[in-house]
Amino acid sequence: MAWTIRSQLGRVSLFVKAKAARPTALGTFERRRFAGAPGALPPVGLRVCEEFVSPREEQILLEEVEPSFRKLKYQFDHWDDAIHGYREIEREKWGAEAAPLLHRVCETAFGTGREVSPLIHVLDLDAHGYIKPHVDSIKFCGNTIAGLSLLSTCIMRFVHERTAEQMDVLLRRRSLYIMWDKVRYEFTHEILKNEESYYEGKHIPRSRRIAIISRNFPEEKT
Ligand code: OGA
Ligand code: MN
């Protein structure tokens, strides 16, 4: 049910449009390898676990999602969307080989915290696609977002909405990123297009990329 994402999650309001402010200062970012106990997150609000899945595990996940994408066209024409050149699905049921991988993501990213949405968002970005700066909706998504980044290495840019502090993060193919709290709420995030995909002065070619994104629910207001 690919196109229900808009209505169910309210994709249009899944994003809050970023303000037009351009970053002025380059922030620093400490890249961490996955080493800690599951769920034990340092207090920065951003963590990248490189080689979170093996090439074989990546293959399992890709084989599982590819058939659902085959019938969908990349969307390029919605100029006001946060994402350009993409197609997406949500998936609840995973095969016997893929399910444990998604469990591993959940254990690592969410621990025993707030309830995780069983609907996993799979976003396929065309080689010419990119994600514009946005903050995921606080109405539909909770305090933690975890994304497995497959097929292509890319740059994820975070810009603080108030101070314009900027951090560029190299997301290597098969890494898992987890953003929560301060980084999730105060920074916009974006995936750079190929032409802008530079890290420490070096061009990082961006080809087709698939992200498998898990989110927890927001706290219920009582
Ligand atoms: C999103 C998003 C990031 C990614 O869909 O809201 O920011 O890793 N995706 O593709
Ligand atoms: Mn997002």
Side-chain angles (χ1 to χ4, degrees), residues 11 15 121 123 131 134 136 156 177 189 209 211 213 215:
R11 162 64 81 188
F15 305 107
H121 177 198
L123 181 69
I131 305 182
H134 69 278
D136 285 25
M156 195 171 208
Y177 67 81
H189 55 274
R209 167 181 181 268
I213 306 163
R215 298 176 169 93

Side-chain angles (χ1 to χ4, degrees), residues 74-76 83-86 124-132 152 191-196 205-209:
Y74 286 104
Q75 305 291 307
F76 280 97
I83 313 183
H84 183 79
Y86 71 102
D124 179 350
L125 264 192
D126 178 77
H128 302 286
Y130 56 94
I131 305 182
K132 300 175 198 169
S152 173
I191 300 286
L192 302 186
K193 58 175 87 161
N194 182 49
E195 303 89 282
E196 292 169 4
R206 239 294 318 288
S207 50
R208 180 184 175 213
R209 167 181 181 268

Side-chain angles (χ1 to χ4, degrees), residues 99-152:
L101 304 175
L102 292 157
H103 265 114
R104 206 157 92 206
V105 169
C106 285
E107 279 182 359
T108 306
F110 303 97
T112 54
R114 229 167 283 164
E115 202 189 333
V116 182
S117 171
L119 282 180
I120 307 222
H121 177 198
V122 187
L123 181 69
D124 179 350
L125 264 192
D126 178 77
H128 302 286
Y130 56 94
I131 305 182
K132 300 175 198 169
H134 69 278
V135 175
D136 285 25
S137 160
I138 55 169
K139 196 165 153 202
F140 296 103
C141 317
N143 68 338
T144 304
I145 300 162
L148 259 180
S149 200
L150 307 178
L151 276 183
S152 173

Side-chain angles (χ1 to χ4, degrees), residues 149-162:
S149 200
L150 307 178
L151 276 183
S152 173
T153 295
C154 67
I155 312 292
M156 195 171 208
R157 173 169 291 170
F158 296 85
V159 180
H160 195 280
E161 289 222 276
R162 199 167 28 77

